[in-house]
Amino acid sequence: MNTNKTLIKKLNDQGTLAHDELYQLLTAMDDSDAQYLYQLARMKREAVYGKDVYLRGLIEFSNYCKNDCRYCGIRASNDRAERYRLSAQEIIDCADTGYDLGFRTVVLQSGEDLSYSDDDICAIVSAIKAHHPDLAITLSIGEKEKESYQKYFEAGAERYLLRQETSNPDHYAYLHPASLSLAHRKQCLEDLKEIGYQVGCGIMVGSPHQTFDHIIEDLYYMKDFNPQMVGIGPFIAHKDTPFRNEPNGTLEDTLHLLGIIRLMIPHVLLPATTALGTIDPLGREKGILAGANVVMPNLSPRSVRRKYMLYDGKICTGEEAAQCHACMERRIAKTGYQVIVDRGDYR
Ligand code: SAM
């Protein structure tokens, strides 16, 4: 076995590697090494989750945001973004549609839109739970006080997605406005875990000024935090942001990381993201074959989908929820895995 394959086997057996070993893998993997990595990653994932792929129905309920993250198409200062917010009833209707289609998890995601009070969020979560007690509700609505997270949890939300975006403070400061800090983002993740949520963190791959050393810092942070979910996808430039001319993250780097994360955190729920499907027409299928086990079809009303434009070229903005669901089932079946009707809890 060459050095890289030996390192991949060691990662598989020990769940971690030294910094220089990870650096070697991230920077010098050839196609045959990558195929070996994906093969071991699939075996790890199948040992825990079999051939099942879990669906999360994504409801993007508002694109208003108070923050000004430099990479994001819905940043506060993008005055070309056409803003919308769904009413409580519209959000509940989306969840009902999702349930009827076979989703047993919905993800309520938005910019940091202060017009929804904690009581509003709790009322929406409780109403969805009252309709469908067996539907898991994930929130992805940004940084809040611990008391707010506690209220949402008591209302019935069980999971929370909050990518740290990068685990390096200087890189974080480069990507974000001065009002945001990595320390606070990490505190939020700790608070969520302490309350009892299944927590998802994650990063953008190839974000501007990201180095492989940063990525290794991310891998160690995630290994140590031991989240139930990790959301990673390539950075993709948006034409109305300061990063409009920056290169996108690559398919290869993202797939390598999916495989590596599966070997480092074997039980993690790992989505093949929409961003991955945007940079490559078969990106999500390739993600599943590299170790991912979750896909997140869009459940937002078709009329607003084009407005939740985090990056240029985002796919799946024209279809109805039922079409997205059927398309995803077909795509996954072609990989040899199967979409199932299940909450898809962490094991
Ligand atoms: N406001 C919530 C938060 O901060 O977690 C959730 C919404 S935020 C738009 C969801 C995710 O979109 C972010 O965590 C970020 O990783 C991703 N995102 C934003 N802009 C992106 C871009 N240009 N390319 C790829 N992903 C992007």
Side-chain angles (χ1 to χ4, degrees), residues 65 67 71-74 109-112 140-143 161-163 165 185 203-204 233-238 275 308 310-311:
C65 191
N67 293 331
Y71 46 83
C72 186
I74 61 169
Q109 190 180 89
S110 67
E112 290 202 17
S140 177
I141 57 176
E143 297 179 34
L161 299 180
L162 186 76
R163 291 182 180 179
E165 314 295 356
R185 195 99 179 154
I203 61 164
M204 282 175 296
F235 158 78
I236 302 175
H238 186 291
Y308 200 83
L310 307 180
Y311 44 80

Side-chain angles (χ1 to χ4, degrees), residues 13-227:
D13 295 344
Q14 300 183 0
T16 193
L17 289 175
H19 186 287
D20 59 328
E21 295 172 325
L22 283 171
Y23 195 91
Q24 156 84 20
L25 276 190
L26 289 169
T27 54
M29 240 190 295
D30 68 17
D31 190 49
S32 140
D33 301 330
Q35 292 312 323
Y36 183 58
L37 169 68
Y38 305 152
Q39 185 195 336
L40 294 188
R42 288 195 298 271
M43 283 165 64
K44 273 269 189 256
R45 143 226 213 288
E46 284 175 32
V48 184
Y49 294 104
K51 293 270 189 189
D52 296 343
V53 172
Y54 304 116
L55 289 178
R56 278 56 168 123
L58 187 58
I59 303 174
E60 299 157 332
F61 67 90
S62 164
N63 70 352
Y64 282 89
C65 191
K66 72 173 177 57
N67 293 331
D68 218 16
C69 306
R70 299 179 73 199
Y71 46 83
C72 186
I74 61 169
R75 67 200 300 264
S77 67
N78 180 11
D79 49 22
R80 299 178 76 174
E82 211 183 311
R83 304 287 168 175
Y84 74 92
R85 56 173 66 93
L86 300 185
S87 68
Q89 192 54 55
E90 287 172 314
I91 300 170
I92 295 163
D93 290 346
C94 286
D96 287 342
T97 304
Y99 191 89
D100 292 343
L101 287 171
F103 288 91
R104 291 297 174 266
T105 306
V106 288
V107 181
L108 308 186
Q109 190 180 89
S110 67
E112 290 202 17
D113 181 351
L114 298 180
S115 77
Y116 298 88
S117 66
D118 285 350
D119 286 348
D120 292 335
I121 298 292
C122 289
I124 292 164
V125 168
S126 313
I128 295 174
K129 273 305 229 194
H131 288 193
H132 311 293
D134 57 335
L135 183 69
I137 301 178
T138 306
L139 293 176
S140 177
I141 57 176
E143 297 179 34
K144 303 278 179 183
E145 296 301 322
K146 189 173 183 188
E147 296 69 43
S148 303
Y149 288 147
Q150 182 72 47
K151 286 185 198 164
Y152 311 151
F153 188 73
E154 282 161 17
E158 294 162 80
R159 305 175 184 164
Y160 206 102
L161 299 180
L162 186 76
R163 291 182 180 179
Q164 79 274 26
E165 314 295 356
T166 172
S167 311
N168 178 278
D170 294 333
H171 188 221
Y172 192 92
Y174 179 70
L175 298 177
H176 296 97
S179 55
L180 299 176
S181 76
L182 179 60
H184 189 258
R185 195 99 179 154
K186 286 185 172 174
Q187 184 57 52
C188 288
L189 286 164
E190 294 294 337
D191 290 345
L192 289 160
K193 198 180 209 189
E194 213 173 282
I195 290 168
Y197 282 95
Q198 293 185 34
V199 183
C201 60
I203 61 164
M204 282 175 296
V205 181
S207 58
H209 284 196
Q210 184 185 56
T211 65
F212 286 107
D213 285 324
H214 292 148
I215 293 180
I216 295 168
E217 239 176 300
D218 289 319
L219 289 171
Y220 286 141
Y221 169 75
M222 295 192 285
K223 172 86 181 162
D224 183 55
F225 183 65
N226 196 24

